[in-house]
Amino acid sequence: MNQPHSVSVFAHRHPKARRVHAARAVDWLAAGWRMFIAHPFVWLLMALVAFVVMALVSTLVVPLPVVGPMAAPVLMVLFMGGMLSAAERQAHGKAIGFENLFDGLRRHLGNLALVGIFYSIPLVLMSLVTVLALTGGLLAGLLGTALGGALSGLLSGAMALVSMIMTGWVFVGVFFALMILALICAPALVMYRSTPSFDAMRLSLGASVRNLGATLLFGLMIYTLFLIALIPAGLGILVLIPVGIGALREAYLDMFGEDDDVPPP
């Protein structure tokens, strides 16, 4: 008797991605801008608090070997969840406030935190690759010197060290690019459909690859806007954050559902 209900819940939490035209990326950003200018002061306050908290926590824990690189991504995804909740409320004509920034922590702390941890894995690997390569290179150099190795041996070791670091970074860079694609719709899937973290990233990666033209154009525009936002003492970042959130919501709706499919928070 419960099977039809289980199937419908699974379908709701694991929607199939649609293919969209690459030019839709421009519409995503336009939707984000319209969302921002409707309530600019609330969005600026949320962006400011999120940015300051992430900067402070990251500064405090950055010396820690594994936790350090994970702190900022986890906080970023948690705040993304809260802002996506606020965006959904605004789209349904509900009032939004600063407190909505913490909706992700209140409603989906575990799944959003896991998304942030998955996303931070390349950053941890990049740090470990560098540390291990440098440590191994130094030990090899010291051992070679102790055994009377010539200068050419040290130069050869240095070149091998650089090659090792570059190879490791290329591998991690590809992994990081995949994680970015897996992050585009993952927070929205968690917040709007209660999709488990791993499934949300898997679905987001599949949708992003299927719509690679739109996602690449979107990424290029965000990167360009980020560089522009840095010009006025970095203050433009506070505008770009909510605009980006609104764009991600629109991207999710384009690839996974319509407004009516998402219950208002």
Side-chain angles (χ1 to χ4, degrees):
M1 295 294 293
N2 293 330
Q3 186 176 1
H5 175 71
S6 300
V7 171
S8 69
V9 169
F10 182 87
H12 173 76
R13 293 183 176 179
H14 300 76
K16 292 183 179 180
R18 292 193 297 266
R19 190 181 299 276
V20 301
H21 195 276
R24 284 293 297 163
V26 178
D27 298 325
W28 299 347
L29 277 175
W33 174 251
R34 290 193 299 270
M35 182 199 75
F36 169 73
I37 60 175
H39 298 283
F41 296 110
V42 177
W43 285 112
L44 286 173
L45 180 59
M46 283 194 282
L48 177 62
V49 172
F51 182 82
V52 170
V53 170
M54 287 174 58
L56 288 176
V57 172
S58 298
T59 302
L60 291 174
V61 302
V62 71
L64 301 178
V66 176
V67 178
M70 287 187 175
V74 170
L75 284 173
M76 178 187 72
V77 175
L78 288 171
F79 288 140
M80 285 176 66
M83 289 185 171
L84 284 166
S85 175
E88 193 62 26
R89 289 180 60 86
Q90 179 175 316
H92 285 84
K94 293 190 174 184
I96 64 170
F98 165 72
E99 67 278 2
N100 293 126
L101 178 64
F102 306 100
D103 284 354
L105 284 84
R106 288 193 293 261
R107 293 167 47 198
H108 295 286
L109 173 60
N111 278 326
L112 288 174
L114 282 174
V115 170
I117 290 173
F118 287 140
Y119 176 70
S120 68
I121 289 176
L123 301 177
V124 176
L125 290 177
M126 193 173 295
S127 176
L128 290 177
V129 164
T130 304
V131 171
L132 291 175
L134 289 173
T135 304
L138 289 174
L139 288 176
L142 290 174
L143 182 58
T145 302
L147 294 176
L151 179 60
S152 60
L154 292 177
L155 291 175
S156 177
M159 292 301 294
L161 170 62
V162 172
S163 176
M164 185 186 306
I165 294 176
M166 293 302 295
T167 301
W169 277 9
V170 168
F171 172 77
V172 175
V174 172
F175 189 21
F176 190 48
L178 293 176
M179 287 295 101
I180 292 177
L181 295 178
L183 184 68
I184 290 179
C185 293
L189 286 164
V190 172
M191 291 300 297
Y192 298 156
R193 295 181 180 267
S194 300
T195 306
S197 54
F198 181 77
D199 291 332
M201 297 195 77
R202 176 179 58 82
L203 291 168
S204 177
L205 177 60
S208 299
V209 171
R210 187 177 186 185
N211 296 283
L212 198 57
T215 52
L216 287 178
L217 178 59
F218 178 66
L220 179 62
M221 290 190 296
I222 287 291
Y223 181 72
T224 303
L225 291 174
F226 174 76
L227 295 179
I228 296 173
L230 293 176
I231 296 175
L235 296 178
I237 299 296
L238 300 182
V239 176
L240 183 58
I241 290 174
V243 170
I245 291 295
L248 289 177
R249 175 184 175 272
E250 190 70 13
Y252 159 81
L253 291 174
D254 242 9
M255 291 189 281
F256 285 106
E258 303 296 337
D259 291 274
D260 293 340
D261 295 333
V262 181

